[in-house]
């Protein structure tokens, strides 16, 4: 049985279209050239008393916040992206911590995704887990918060901020366990309780 030139042309056109759309998909998953994935996981203490820079952000519900709005709370400030496998690995730990320490902790996830659609696809898979008042997610389209304020060029990176808005601990990479995060949060709770 001999195929007509029209059938061959249609098959080639379909293959070309599929390759084109697959390339577009990969392009939306490609990180910005100057942000890299950081697999290691050192937990570093930050120089004592260093105040976190204030910034404003608009969350996925369209509400605008400033970091200073959360003075009196322990803040988990996480820099992440949906194209970053270590970020995806650790993200559920932060959601769990926000639930476990709901009265004391605010989780702020600052995404380096290239667009809202990519970020929201990932968040939609988490579903109800992120629908809490102390879980706030925002897209940092111009990288002003990520790179300019916090000099974060490797993802994931997380900064724990105490109740007085001083940066306390930095977690780089995702190769850490939940018990380490709990310990850091409890340390910050104890130091808050000792403050007159």
């Amino acid at each position: 049985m001999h195929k007509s030139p029209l059938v061959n042309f249609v098959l080639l056109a379909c293959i070309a279209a599929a390759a084109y759309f697959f390339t577009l998909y990969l392009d939306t998953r490609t990180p910005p050239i100057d942000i890299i994935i950081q697999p290691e996981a050192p937990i570093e203490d930050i120089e004592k008393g260093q105040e976190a820079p204030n910034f404003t952000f608009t969350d996925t519900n369209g509400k605008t916040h400033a970091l200073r709005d959360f003075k009196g709370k322990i803040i988990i400030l996480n820099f992440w992206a949906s194209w970053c496998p270590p970020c995806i690995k650790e993200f559920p730990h932060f959601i769990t911590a926000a639930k476990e320490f709901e009265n004391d902790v605010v989780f702020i996830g600052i995404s380096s995704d290239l667009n809202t659609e990519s970020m929201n696809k990932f968040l939609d898979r988490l579903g109800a887990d992120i629908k809490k008042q102390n879980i706030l997610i925002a897209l940092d389209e111009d990288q002003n918060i990520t790179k300019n304020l916090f000099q974060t060029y490797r993802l994931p990176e997380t900064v724990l901020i105490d109740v007085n808005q001083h940066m306390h601990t930095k977690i780089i990479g995702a190769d850490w366990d939940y018990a380490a995060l709990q310990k850091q949060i409890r340390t910050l709770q104890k130091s808050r309780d000792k403050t007159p």
Side-chain angles (χ1 to χ4, degrees), residues 1 16 27 47 53 75 122 124 154 156 160 166 179 184 186:
M1 186 171 166
D27 283 347
E47 186 179 322
I75 299 169
F122 171 72
D124 286 346
R154 52 196 174 168
L160 296 182
H166 294 122
Q184 294 291 328
R186 289 191 177 117

Side-chain angles (χ1 to χ4, degrees), residues 45-119:
D45 286 337
I46 296 173
E47 186 179 322
K48 193 171 181 172
Q50 187 177 351
E51 190 171 19
N54 191 29
F55 60 89
T56 59
F57 63 95
T58 303
D59 69 22
T60 52
N61 296 318
K63 189 172 179 189
T64 300
H65 308 272
L67 189 71
R68 297 292 179 256
D69 296 342
F70 306 106
K71 193 162 188 172
K73 297 282 187 182
I74 297 164
I75 299 169
I76 301 172
L77 178 61
N78 175 241
F79 298 97
W80 68 285
S82 66
W83 45 258
C84 163
C87 301
I88 292 168
K89 176 185 173 188
E90 73 176 4
F91 205 89
H93 290 317
F94 298 127
I95 302 303
T96 301
K99 289 178 178 178
E100 181 180 347
F101 301 97
E102 187 171 357
N103 296 324
D104 294 329
V105 168
V106 173
F107 171 62
I108 301 172
I110 302 294
S111 172
S112 288
D113 275 295
L114 300 177
N115 55 57
T116 307
E117 184 183 349
S118 299
M119 178 183 75

Side-chain angles (χ1 to χ4, degrees), residues 10-192:
V10 169
L11 279 172
L12 284 173
C14 289
I15 291 169
Y20 174 74
F21 287 113
F22 184 67
T23 303
L24 286 178
Y25 170 76
L26 288 177
D27 283 347
T28 64
R29 310 255 326 149
T30 303
I33 194 92
D34 54 351
I35 294 185
I36 61 169
I37 294 172
Q38 180 72 32
E40 293 86 40
I43 295 181
E44 308 169 350
D45 286 337
I46 296 173
E47 186 179 322
K48 193 171 181 172
Q50 187 177 351
E51 190 171 19
N54 191 29
F55 60 89
T56 59
F57 63 95
T58 303
D59 69 22
T60 52
N61 296 318
K63 189 172 179 189
T64 300
H65 308 272
L67 189 71
R68 297 292 179 256
D69 296 342
F70 306 106
K71 193 162 188 172
K73 297 282 187 182
I74 297 164
I75 299 169
I76 301 172
L77 178 61
N78 175 241
F79 298 97
W80 68 285
S82 66
W83 45 258
C84 163
C87 301
I88 292 168
K89 176 185 173 188
E90 73 176 4
F91 205 89
H93 290 317
F94 298 127
I95 302 303
T96 301
K99 289 178 178 178
E100 181 180 347
F101 301 97
E102 187 171 357
N103 296 324
D104 294 329
V105 168
V106 173
F107 171 62
I108 301 172
I110 302 294
S111 172
S112 288
D113 275 295
L114 300 177
N115 55 57
T116 307
E117 184 183 349
S118 299
M119 178 183 75
N120 286 338
K121 275 185 191 174
F122 171 72
L123 297 174
D124 286 346
R125 284 182 292 214
L126 294 175
D129 282 348
I130 62 164
K131 305 287 190 228
K132 294 202 146 288
Q133 293 217 338
N134 66 327
I135 298 174
L136 305 166
I137 313 295
L139 181 65
D140 188 16
E141 279 184 288
D142 59 6
Q143 300 296 299
N144 186 46
I145 300 166
T146 305
K147 290 192 272 186
N148 296 346
L149 287 180
F150 285 88
Q151 274 77 57
T152 295
Y153 293 90
R154 52 196 174 168
L155 297 178
E157 189 167 295
T158 303
V159 179
L160 296 182
I161 300 170
D162 70 19
V163 295
N164 297 310
Q165 305 252 305
H166 294 122
M167 297 187 289
H168 183 272
T169 307
K170 185 182 283 190
I171 305 169
I172 302 165
D175 191 20
W176 50 271
D177 63 19
Y178 184 67
L181 179 61
Q182 284 177 310
K183 182 179 178 184
Q184 294 291 328
I185 292 170
R186 289 191 177 117
T187 298
L188 292 174
Q189 285 175 317
K190 286 177 189 168
S191 65
R192 174 207 56 201

